[in-house]
Structure formats: C-alpha cells, structure tokens
Amino acid sequence: MTPAERVAWLRGELARHNEAYFVRDAPLIPDADYDALARELRALEAQYPELGDDSSVSMAVGAPSSPLFGAVTHAEPMLSLDNVFAVDELGAWAQRTARGLGVDADSLTFVVEPKIDGLACSITYVDGVLTQGATRGDGRVGEDVTENVRTIHDVPATLEGFSSGRVEVRGEVYLAKADFKDLNGRQRELGAKEFANPRNAAAGSLRQKDPKVTAARPLSFLTYQLVDLDGAMVFARYVDTLARLSAWGFATARETVVEVGGAAMIARSTWFEEHRHDLSYEIDGVVIKIDDLARRAALGSTSRAPRWAIARKFPPEERTTRLLAIEVSIGRTGRATPYAVLEPVLVAGSRVAMATLHNQDQVALKDVRPGDLVIVRKAGEVIPEVVGAVAEPARARQPAWVFPSSCPECGGPLERVGEESDTYCVNPACPAQLLQQIIHFASRGALDIEGLGEQRVAQLLGEGLVSDVADLFSLRRQDLENLEGLGELSATSLINAIDGARSMPLSRVLVGLGIRHVGPVAARELARAFATYGALAQAPLEQLERIDGVGPVIAASVHRYCREDESIERMTRLAEAGLTLSEPESSAGPEDTLAGRAVVVTGTLEGFTRDEAEAAVVARGGTSPGAVSKKTYCVVVGEAPGVAKVTKARDLGVPIVPAAAFRQLLETGTFVAPSP
Ligand code: IVH
C-alpha cells in the first residue's frame, strides 16, 4: 500500500469508527486501537504534507450530529484534547509549553484533573436561567439535548447568585460506576440490552428522543470549563472559575489538584493512574491544564485542541494473547456460555487464562478462532472478556469455530430459544445445571448457607445426597459426617446453616431459585407485592406485569416458572421443609393495601387478638365491620367462627378467606380464592 492509499484507508476507517462511537454509541474496536489508527494517520499526514487535507478526520473532533436532534452551533467551538501516553511525552509537553511561554517548567502551575469517561456537553445560561443543552457533535455543531439535560440531577436550572449575562458551562455527562451497574442490572431484568461501558450508557441515555427516558437514567454532570459569552467576567486562574462554577451549584471533580512544576505534575498524574479504580466514576486518563488564564490565551489553540492542556491517557486494560481453545460452560439456567482458554497473560494486574465470549453470536461477530491472537480486556473487577482477534495476514487461520449442538456435560441437546442470542442445555437433569443451581441457591445474595460452596455441592451431588435444592433440607447430620473432609463439627454447622435458611424471606428464596431474568430487584418487588409464594404463584400474567420493576419478560418468566411441574413439586417440598416463603411485613410496600375495603373477621386468628386483627385491617385503609353485607370484600375465618357470619357470606357470594391467608391479605390486599 502506498502512503496515499494508507492515508485514504485510515481516513475511511476512522470515519466509520467515529460514526459507530459518536452517532450510534456502539464502538467497534477498543479505544486504544482507535487511538492507534488516529495517531498513524496524523504521523503520515505530518510526514507527507502533500497528503494533508483540512477536512481530514484527523482534524475533526467527534462526528456530525444525528438528524434525530436539532442542530446547535456552538458559540465557541468545543475542542478536543491532544493525548500522550508515556511519561516522557508528558514531560516533553510541559517543556514545550514552558518554552512557548518563556518560563521554566519548574515554575509553571498545572491543574491535574481526572479525565472522566463520559460525553462532553455544553449548557447555556441566559441571565442565570438554563436555556440550552448541546452535545459536542463535530465540535462546531452539536445536538440539541436541552430537555434531556434538564433532567440531570446535578445540572442546576438556575445559577445561584447570577443575574445577568450569557455563559456556557461545559463539562462531562457521565454515569458513576455504581449507577452504571444498577442501570445494567435493570436492563438485564427487563430483558433489555446491556450497555458496554459507562460512557456508552451515558451517551445512549443523554441522546434519547424522549426526555422521560433520560430522566429515568442516573446521569451525573461534572464541569470543567466556563465560557463567558459576554467577556464580562474577570478570572486570573482556572481554579477561580472552578470555584465560581461550584458556587453556582455545579459539581467539579473532587480529586482535582494544583501542582507547581513539571515533576510534581507528572507524579500526580501517576498517582491518578494508580488510584483510577478508587474513583466513583471511570476515568481513562488525566487532563493537565495550565492554571494561569493569561498564559492560556498566549498559548492559544489549534483547530482541534488547545495548546494549554493535554490528556495523559492510561494504558488500556487490554492485552493481546494467543487463543488456545474455545470451550462451553453450562450455567444454572442451562445457558451455554462459550469461553476462551488463553495463553495466560497479565491484564490490569491479574493473570488471565480464561475469558468469556458471551454467546454464539458474539463468537461469530468477533470471528475469533482457536490459534488467533486476541485482545483480552479486564477492567477493574469486571470478568475478563475477549474483545476480538488481531489480524495476522501472514498466518493461516483455523476454520471458524462451530458452536456445539449438544451439551458438553450431559450430551443433551443445546437449543436457542426464540429471539435470544443465548443457547441453552434443555435437559433439566443436566448435572452441570444442578451444580450451579445449588451453588446459587446457597450463595450470599440468596439463602446464604455458609459452608455450601462449589466443592461441597459437587460432593453432595456426587454422593447422590441431593438432586434438587429442596433435598438440602432433608439432609441429616449422619448423612454428612462420613463425607470426606467433613467431621462431626462441620457437619453440624452445615446442618445448622441449612436450618437457618428456613426463615429467609421470600425475596431471597426467589433470588435463589434462579428463575430466568429474576434478579434481586425484581425478586424484592415481587415479594413485596405478593407477600407469599402462594399468592405469587396464583397471580395472573397481567397482575405480574403491573408490578413496578417487572416488565413483560420477567412476568412471563415467573408465570411460566410457577406453573412448571418441577417447580410446583420443588415449592411444595420447600414449604413442607418449613421455609416461610413469605416476606416479612417490615419490607412490605405501600401500606394502603385494603383502601376502602370491608373485611369481616370471625373466629380467632393465630398471632392476633380480635382487636389487633381489626386494627391491622384499618391500618391498611380498610374497615372491619361486625356484620357481613353484599359490600363486604371478604370474610376471614379463624378458629371457632361465628356460624351466622359464615352462612351469610356463603349466601351472598362473599369470598371466604382462611386464617392462614390473613397476612397475605394484609400485605397485598389480595387473597387466593378458595377452590369451590
Ligand atoms: S477539558 C478545550 N477536562 O475529554 C478543552 N475534558 O478527549 C476541553 N474530558 O472533549 C476539554 N474529562 O469530553 C477536559 N477534566 C476534563 C475532562 C475532559 C473528560 C473529555 C471531554 C473532552 C475529551 C477530550
């Protein structure tokens, strides 16, 4: 390829990736690869000035706006930043900048800030009132996202103590790590697509046609630039503008530090690298800025980036290594997950020998094959994953990997269900599924049975002592005592731990059952809404769908689960084993479950005096009259009921509710109609 051809190719590639990253919020390659392409293009353009082109993507910042939004021409262009990666490049920048100013780098004051991985946003205030919010777009023209920006909790609608003039406040819209995790958890439970990373999630959330969608996303905003459109404000230093922004009600990065001298600045940037995972949001580097605003003006900007600032990008948490094999593991729901067996490699400080490939479509999309050199990514605590293969044109590749059609554990068929990209082993007796189900049932977030880890469960399965979670509750100490590695003492503690699980609330049991799509949030909402498993199991599909946080996917999954023969048997056995299968009242949701309803109580109810029972109904917005009428919602019948009341209820067709269902009635306002 000639340099001219290479330049043309690089421009095409970069334009394609820009569109994927900025317009569709769905990058095709890791940022590090993108940066490498951009750097190569810039280097070639510098080496062959005749190939230069003012419209080259190397000159551009971001990408053109989406037609979904109105266009906003920025009063002042929104520039990008030049990047460095190595410490000596950063030192060279400091020297160059100092020289440009005719000063010594040791005496220069730098501000070192986290480089937040979100998307830039410019917010206009006229006389202190928010009038417009815009994305960066191509730097000159951005997208009008005013109504969406208004929904961000730390974007003030009016500026505290600002009365006249026009300013643009610029900064980064981002998702804190914890909020990103919650959001993806919610997406998962709703059966919606998960976001690849906080940056994509933030961009996808801000760039929504419907501001209500944005409002439901936990976006945050950190400011790092003030554009005074009237030129009326006088600040000497950048830190003064930050103080003013903060006084107006904006958040600024708490970790921002002022350092004097190049050496201190570099040391601080390294400190950030070491602490990058300690911050509450993701950063991909640090931004170093000259503090003195007069010096900034003297340095000026290129069309792309200011000369008074630089980004030090951190080494990506991605490495390349050889893919040795692709294997498939079977999870508790039977999901068959392909994973990569790798030549071990150190990524982000830990040794990685296996990485997930997610599903069949991902393997096909990434087209990774055994023998390939692949990019492995591990960021923070995230499970390592294979990003893709690195092209090695000189090397012959193995044929494309084919997803197996039978389960590697039990030999049963592997099937894809409907539109899902996941493949499942559909044999309910598959030992790999059983193992994972029981481990999950006993895990922290579920029934929290201490001492029941993977090895122990495998042992119990191997000995034929359990073949379903319900079997755990019939284990006796004698069964365990003679197992390898388990003495009398640990057998007793395991039995006690299992015993303790009997009183776990319904929400934890629902998590433990591993019903597809039901995570802790949905489990809690379901448990609160229905209070008992009996009520949940009887609920019609439409009622399940109405529960907050339960979409049609979860509702259908729960509805199906409750009606499967195996589940019915399992739940009956769990109830017989003494699990409460109910949610304690303290965690019950809205109190007014019986608003406007008349509930007649007759006979004695276990755990309640007559007065307490009536008070409980009244406390939930109902009434508890002494006589049955046509308008009575239901009659709760305890020990030794009044015959007249029961007869009257029968005659009038008023439902009769057994005493055992009283708590559920209180908590949910519903009852299981007795069989005729
Ligand atoms: S200053 C004219 N400061 O990084 C200079 N940018 O790669 C404007 N970013 O477009 C940018 N954290 O979206 C600045 N502390 C920070 C930043 C930051 C993140 C983003 C911003 C910028 C991009 C450049």
Side-chain angles (χ1 to χ4, degrees), residues 450-474:
E450 205 174 317
L452 209 50
E454 175 159 2
Q455 274 188 341
R456 189 69 64 220
V457 176
Q459 194 178 25
L460 296 177
L461 278 168
E463 295 288 334
L465 288 169
V466 294
S467 60
D468 187 276
V469 294
D471 295 333
L472 293 171
F473 297 95
S474 26

Side-chain angles (χ1 to χ4, degrees), residues 47 117 123 134 174 203 258 337 369 410 438 466 527 633 676:
Q47 195 183 344
D117 209 4
I123 310 171
Y174 69 99
V258 176
T337 306
R369 308 176 184 190
C410 71
I438 300 174
V466 294
Y633 179 56

Side-chain angles (χ1 to χ4, degrees), residues 32 37 96 121 137 143 253 276 321 334 336 338 349 361 401 439 442 478 482 506 545 602 626 647 672:
L37 293 174
R96 208 166 52 239
C121 190
E143 297 155 323
R276 65 186 291 189
T321 187
D361 292 348
W401 182 76
I439 294 169
Q478 306 88 284
N482 299 325
L506 177 63
E545 285 177 351
T602 174
T647 315
V672 182

Side-chain angles (χ1 to χ4, degrees), residues 79-81 113-116 120 136 172 224-225 287 289 306:
L79 299 181
S80 186
L81 291 169
E113 296 186 325
K115 185 172 192 303
I116 309 131
R136 185 171 67 181
E172 204 80 353
Y224 46 67
Q225 197 180 8
V287 183
K289 299 172 181 173

Side-chain angles (χ1 to χ4, degrees), residues 528-532 535 593 597 663-671:
R528 280 183 179 168
F530 292 97
T532 67
T593 47
R597 287 171 171 166
R663 283 178 198 276
Q664 175 209 325
L665 174 69
L666 292 175
E667 280 164 21
T668 64
T670 62
F671 49 83

Side-chain angles (χ1 to χ4, degrees), residues 559-578:
H559 191 256
R560 196 179 323 112
Y561 182 89
C562 295
R563 278 154 189 77
E564 280 164 2
D565 289 345
E566 277 165 59
S567 321
I568 295 171
E569 189 190 329
R570 174 179 307 125
M571 297 316 294
T572 309
R573 289 185 59 207
L574 288 175
E576 281 167 6

Side-chain angles (χ1 to χ4, degrees), residues 382-664:
V382 184
I383 310 169
E385 62 166 351
V386 172
V387 178
V390 178
E392 294 175 288
R395 202 169 187 276
R397 299 180 78 197
Q398 292 194 19
W401 182 76
V402 181
F403 203 91
S405 56
S406 56
C407 172
E409 303 283 346
C410 71
L414 289 182
E415 287 177 12
R416 268 180 89 146
V417 195
E419 302 276 285
E420 286 191 48
S421 38
D422 289 321
T423 307
Y424 291 89
C425 165
V426 291
N427 169 16
C430 172
Q433 286 182 53
L434 285 176
L435 174 73
Q436 297 302 332
Q437 278 164 16
I438 300 174
I439 294 169
H440 176 75
F441 188 76
S443 68
R444 262 289 143 71
L447 282 104
D448 196 14
I449 304 175
E450 205 174 317
L452 209 50
E454 175 159 2
Q455 274 188 341
R456 189 69 64 220
V457 176
Q459 194 178 25
L460 296 177
L461 278 168
E463 295 288 334
L465 288 169
V466 294
S467 60
D468 187 276
V469 294
D471 295 333
L472 293 171
F473 297 95
S474 26
L475 285 173
R476 294 160 311 160
R477 195 161 54 98
Q478 306 88 284
D479 299 330
L480 303 174
E481 265 168 10
N482 299 325
L483 293 180
E484 203 186 312
L486 257 184
E488 202 178 316
L489 212 63
S490 22
T492 307
S493 17
L494 185 52
I495 293 290
N496 288 344
I498 293 172
D499 201 32
R502 289 184 161 90
S503 54
M504 277 293 192
L506 177 63
S507 48
R508 300 282 283 269
V509 178
L510 291 178
V511 171
L513 292 173
I515 304 169
R516 204 181 287 175
H517 305 300
V518 177
V521 176
R524 204 177 48 239
E525 297 297 343
L526 288 164
R528 280 183 179 168
F530 292 97
T532 67
Y533 182 77
L536 171 70
Q538 302 266 352
L541 190 58
E542 310 77 60
Q543 197 181 352
L544 292 168
E545 285 177 351
R546 279 200 299 271
I547 308 300
D548 253 0
V550 176
V553 175
I554 300 176
S557 175
V558 172
H559 191 256
R560 196 179 323 112
Y561 182 89
C562 295
R563 278 154 189 77
E564 280 164 2
D565 289 345
E566 277 165 59
S567 321
I568 295 171
E569 189 190 329
R570 174 179 307 125
M571 297 316 294
T572 309
R573 289 185 59 207
L574 288 175
E576 281 167 6
L579 275 81
T580 63
L581 302 184
S582 65
E583 195 71 0
E585 218 176 299
S586 60
S587 66
E591 287 279 276
D592 274 347
T593 47
L594 291 170
R597 287 171 171 166
V599 175
V600 173
V601 178
T602 174
T604 32
L605 306 178
E606 211 193 318
F608 294 88
T609 64
R610 169 60 58 82
D611 285 346
E612 284 169 355
E614 289 181 358
V617 172
V618 173
R620 282 156 185 82
T623 55
S624 192
V628 178
S629 78
K630 254 189 349 220
K631 291 191 183 139
T632 305
Y633 179 56
C634 64
V635 176
V636 180
V637 181
E639 271 299 307
V643 179
K645 287 179 185 160
V646 178
T647 315
K648 182 102 185 261
R650 286 223 176 92
D651 291 344
L652 294 172
V654 170
I656 293 173
V657 175
F662 184 54
R663 283 178 198 276
Q664 175 209 325

